[in-house]
Amino acid sequence: MRRLLLSNDDGVHAPGLKALHDALVDQARLRVIAPDRDRSGASNSLTLSHPLSLTPLDSGFYSVDGTPADCVYLGVSDIFDETVDMVISGINHGANLGDDVLYSGTVAAAMEGRSLGLSAIAMSLAGHQHFETSGRVAATLVSAVEQLALPPRSLLNVNVPDVPWEELKGFRVTRQGQRGQGSQPLRLQDPRGRTRYWIAASGASSDMGEDTDFAAIEAGFVSITPLQTDLTRHASIGDVRGWLEALTGQRQQSGDLL
Amino acid sequence: MRRLLLSNDDGVHAPGLKALHDALVDQARLRVIAPDRDRSGASNSLTLSHPLSLTPLDSGFYSVDGTPADCVYLGVSDIFDETVDMVISGINHGANLGDDVLYSGTVAAAMEGRSLGLSAIAMSLAGHQHFETSGRVAATLVSAVEQLALPPRSLLNVNVPDVPWEELKGFRVTRQGQRGQGSQPLRLQDPRGRTRYWIAASGASSDMGEDTDFAAIEAGFVSITPLQTDLTRHASIGDVRGWLEALTGQRQQSGDLL
Amino acid sequence: MRRLLLSNDDGVHAPGLKALHDALVDQARLRVIAPDRDRSGASNSLTLSHPLSLTPLDSGFYSVDGTPADCVYLGVSDIFDETVDMVISGINHGANLGDDVLYSGTVAAAMEGRSLGLSAIAMSLAGHQHFETSGRVAATLVSAVEQLALPPRSLLNVNVPDVPWEELKGFRVTRQGQRGQGSQPLRLQDPRGRTRYWIAASGASSDMGEDTDFAAIEAGFVSITPLQTDLTRHASIGDVRGWLEALTGQRQQSGDLL
Amino acid sequence: MRRLLLSNDDGVHAPGLKALHDALVDQARLRVIAPDRDRSGASNSLTLSHPLSLTPLDSGFYSVDGTPADCVYLGVSDIFDETVDMVISGINHGANLGDDVLYSGTVAAAMEGRSLGLSAIAMSLAGHQHFETSGRVAATLVSAVEQLALPPRSLLNVNVPDVPWEELKGFRVTRQGQRGQGSQPLRLQDPRGRTRYWIAASGASSDMGEDTDFAAIEAGFVSITPLQTDLTRHASIGDVRGWLEALTGQRQQSGDLL
């Protein structure tokens, strides 16, 4: 039986995590470790400034006073007797599309499982109602994940329309779209008269090409985007090299060492 | 005169930020906005749970009770009368090589400037001494950045060996290497007898290919890695599509809708 | 039916809070609002730097991302349609004796109810086992609290021995004892080599007079200490006045105005 | 030469702390340890959940990622070779009158020095301008503090009108007044549509008797209130005892043990 580590960024008490657990409990041994608080927007942040506590709850889940990445870091460590095979994170309350993946704690939790044997999966529901649909999508994908030979350090970012299972249009493999610039921060006065700035909602989709995650969700399909943890823009290496040679060439002519 | 936004993740009082400021102040108008505390490891995390305060310091720098990404988000917003052209972050105390870029607040700050006109630059010193060397590298790159035509949403991740300027071997364009799995968490008892777990140092380099950022620094070269914010593993889209068709094909034969 | 506000400092999921709720649910209408995390040692601290969220849980309890005093502040505000008559906080996991009351979030929560009609009660169990005993003590005191005419802004600090109800020796009215100086901070190296200091356990009792809270618990009695929120040392006002007159007299002779 | 520990709750970079330092530097050896952030409202809270770091700044001050009480706890510990004789905290930006002392980090810092040989002093300026006046008051009191024989575990809470030194009306020894109930929390919607509650400004003075701290400041006098750390309401011990006897008497008649 596979051993899965579940986590999320909405916190250990979030309904989406419970739904994920319930959807997978029959086909795998589950270890659930999640933040004690909502940590949406936590990205891959790790808590380096202080040590973490791991608290077992009555539900059998573990609560950590840290980030999603902290939770998975602990969950795959030798604190536990048994190793796990893969990480499934979510089900996020709300979609993680386009640039969201840079900020998402859900995606980060999955990414933190990159050293494990099987590809990790980040699950998000594009809404707040039909977690069961998303749970069933997760169960479907997990049951077949051994047949998927992705390179190491890859993961799947899965977004599910917020509809009943019967109303799903199907599955689409997509690329990450883009969001336009977000709104301006909300300015407000605190009760002691000081100005404060609250980060506003993220921008609308600005790249909605047919093959993007945005377009799939818009059309009612489950969106599956393979992601990698290598951020190198390989295609630009030549351009940067040319630029650098011109730059250092000029400088060498002017007598500077570099 | 160019208008640059400077930030970092070591905090607004860090020597590396001061060094970056001093290296660039002659060639650009600078706005400096950085976290009030060390936020190393903050990645792209954004503070969504509460509003931020922006405090001007005597130095002319602004301090924010948030993350590096928060700082740049505020710094490019309409809070300020004038827009900026690009973001330079750093100079980080310590290198940001391989998988570090996923966790680095320095890289995240630069990434947050992706909507601006010019490519952002993340500067790190592979040590804690020769900030001046790194400052001089930053000044060199910034002076020429207009000649570099990278696609939008790109940035340069620059690591500088911790040696005097004269001892630099040169510049190399690199790809992001990889780190092996990090050490196990440090276990300790708190003074009230509870077990705590502290995230250990990151793993050693596991992919040290000649063209990696690790290899460049090891050999005494400045490492320049072009990064992107699109995490899609484009090369795997076909594989995932094949896998998904097999999966849904099986299921359709068994009478399931998808 | 009386309306009571319950809170604590061990967090909304702590067994002690549940035990308090269960002990009182038959004799009063209860509103339970507590911190989302363990906030032991929070004292009267209020969160001024950012706004709070109030999250209803499945249990009917409310969770707040703040301190015990924050919780009671919100709980007695007009956020709720109905007012409450008094605050009961606890049951704290561990005793609050002597100087502990200065740091205790449990005592602070009760203190925050000082504007209400009835005296507030802070409940602590001198151990971690017999919450039921402490719950029964709470129920006994609450049932009779209307007969107790304390001046406004008073509260009762109640500590209960960690034994079965039948083994209690009785009740004693006590004064706050004193603790000696606490241990030195625990020094440790973090995984990145930096020295850190962890606040050590509090000092042992240094004033164990027969009439103190320490002595009562030691002897197996429930300790009840009436507390006030006026910190003025009235008995010293004359001394300070004399000192000040001498001081300003000298200065006036020397020609200084004050 | 006396050795003083200075701290505050407005943070290590606050002008009030600098003013306090400058006022005392000629008459004592100073050690300055303060929170890295504004911690107004921190009360006596101690950080128990994680270890603290102590960072020396260029100014010679130490910065701690904790509360005012944490700072003084570390400052009087054996981390330092030399002990200190007393704690002076402040100069707080704004008054600490009446119930403010329960929440004030400035008062708490002074209180944390209660184990030292000399009485601690908490300094607050009833405004934000004339820190120099308050600094001069501090210097005057400190120079004479050895002549003041307060019982152990006492401190002085000093509030200074925000006027030039020449305009001070004199000094008054006062008792702690009271504030009425504070305003209702400020309700607001966060950018993601969730309701949040911000703790409002504290209530106006409700007990302004001639001998209170409020009245002294109102009349232009420096207010000096001797405070104690014993919260016992000694005058009510008899009443509580009577109530308890009635209560347990009834219960014994009904056959209950207690």
Side-chain angles (χ1 to χ4, degrees), chain C residues 19-93:
Chain C
L20 184 62
H21 170 273
D22 293 352
L24 296 175
V25 70
D26 287 340
Q27 64 167 290
R29 208 165 330 150
L30 305 179
R31 180 185 301 159
V32 188
I33 307 183
D36 61 349
R37 285 186 171 172
D38 180 3
R39 295 300 297 260
S40 297
S43 189
N44 301 80
S45 63
L46 286 172
T47 301
L48 305 182
S49 61
H50 59 264
L52 303 161
S53 19
L54 184 73
T55 308
L57 304 180
D58 286 348
S59 57
F61 293 12
Y62 288 87
S63 173
V64 170
D65 53 346
T67 66
D70 291 339
C71 292
V72 176
Y73 170 88
L74 291 183
V76 303
S77 75
D78 65 3
I79 293 174
F80 295 91
D81 287 341
E82 215 178 30
T83 57
V84 294
D85 301 312
M86 75 181 296
V87 173
I88 322 284
S89 72
I91 301 167
N92 194 60
H93 297 209

Side-chain angles (χ1 to χ4, degrees), chain C residues 52 103 112 153 179 197, chain D residues 52 103 112 153 179 197:
Chain C
L52 303 161
Y103 304 104
E112 196 67 22
R153 295 166 170 260
R179 289 194 183 274
Y197 305 93
Chain D
L52 302 161
Y103 305 104
E112 195 68 22
R153 296 165 171 259
R179 289 194 184 273
Y197 304 93

Side-chain angles (χ1 to χ4, degrees), chain B residues 97-219:
Chain B
L97 301 168
D99 295 318
D100 295 347
V101 306
L102 299 175
Y103 304 104
S104 165
T106 306
V107 172
M111 215 178 261
E112 196 66 22
R114 67 185 179 281
S115 61
L116 301 174
L118 297 170
S119 297
I121 301 178
M123 298 294 312
S124 301
L125 180 67
H128 301 267
Q129 291 190 272
H130 297 280
F131 286 108
E132 205 187 301
T133 305
S134 195
R136 201 157 156 188
V137 170
T140 303
L141 297 178
V142 166
S143 70
V145 76
E146 271 159 24
Q147 277 74 56
L148 175 64
L150 280 188
R153 295 163 170 264
S154 304
L155 59 148
L156 299 178
N157 183 36
V158 179
N159 283 274
V160 179
D162 192 13
V163 297
W165 171 262
E166 298 70 29
E167 295 179 21
L168 285 180
K169 292 286 167 36
F171 289 74
R172 268 199 208 160
V173 186
T174 56
R175 66 174 174 86
Q176 178 190 332
Q178 292 177 6
R179 288 194 183 275
Q181 221 180 328
S183 313
Q184 291 298 326
L186 175 68
R187 274 175 216 233
L188 47 92
Q189 297 293 110
D190 76 20
R192 274 148 287 273
R194 212 175 149 180
T195 305
R196 306 278 179 153
Y197 305 94
W198 213 325
I199 293 181
S202 49
S205 54
S206 71
D207 168 6
M208 279 277 296
E210 178 72 7
D211 54 346
T212 62
D213 42 9
F214 285 110
I217 288 295
E218 183 85 1

Side-chain angles (χ1 to χ4, degrees), chain D residues 2-195:
Chain D
R2 255 185 311 242
R3 291 146 307 177
L4 308 183
L5 174 60
L6 309 190
S7 193
N8 76 346
D9 72 355
D10 293 312
V12 71
H13 302 287
L17 181 64
K18 178 73 165 47
L20 184 62
H21 171 274
D22 293 352
L24 297 175
V25 71
D26 287 340
Q27 64 168 289
R29 207 166 328 152
L30 305 179
R31 181 185 302 159
V32 187
I33 307 183
D36 61 350
R37 284 187 173 171
D38 180 3
R39 297 301 298 259
S40 298
S43 189
N44 301 79
S45 62
L46 287 172
T47 301
L48 305 181
S49 61
H50 59 263
L52 302 161
S53 19
L54 185 72
T55 309
L57 305 181
D58 287 346
S59 57
F61 293 11
Y62 289 87
S63 173
V64 171
D65 54 345
T67 66
D70 291 340
C71 292
V72 176
Y73 171 87
L74 291 183
V76 303
S77 77
D78 66 3
I79 294 174
F80 296 91
D81 287 341
E82 213 178 32
T83 56
V84 294
D85 303 311
M86 73 182 297
V87 173
I88 322 283
S89 72
I91 302 169
N92 194 60
H93 297 209
N96 276 308
L97 302 169
D99 296 317
D100 296 347
V101 306
L102 298 174
Y103 305 104
S104 165
T106 307
V107 172
M111 214 177 263
E112 195 68 22
R114 67 185 178 280
S115 61
L116 302 174
L118 296 171
S119 297
I121 301 179
M123 297 294 312
S124 302
L125 180 67
H128 301 268
Q129 290 190 274
H130 297 279
F131 286 108
E132 205 188 301
T133 305
S134 194
R136 203 159 156 188
V137 170
T140 303
L141 297 177
V142 166
S143 70
V145 76
E146 271 159 24
Q147 277 73 54
L148 175 64
L150 280 188
R153 296 165 171 259
S154 305
L155 60 149
L156 299 179
N157 183 36
V158 179
N159 283 273
V160 179
D162 191 12
V163 297
W165 171 261
E166 297 72 28
E167 296 180 21
L168 286 180
K169 292 286 166 36
F171 290 72
R172 269 199 207 158
V173 185
T174 56
R175 65 175 175 86
Q176 178 189 334
Q178 292 176 7
R179 289 194 184 273
Q181 218 180 333
S183 313
Q184 292 297 327
L186 175 68
R187 274 176 216 232
L188 47 92
Q189 298 293 111
D190 76 18
R192 275 148 290 273
R194 212 174 152 182
T195 304

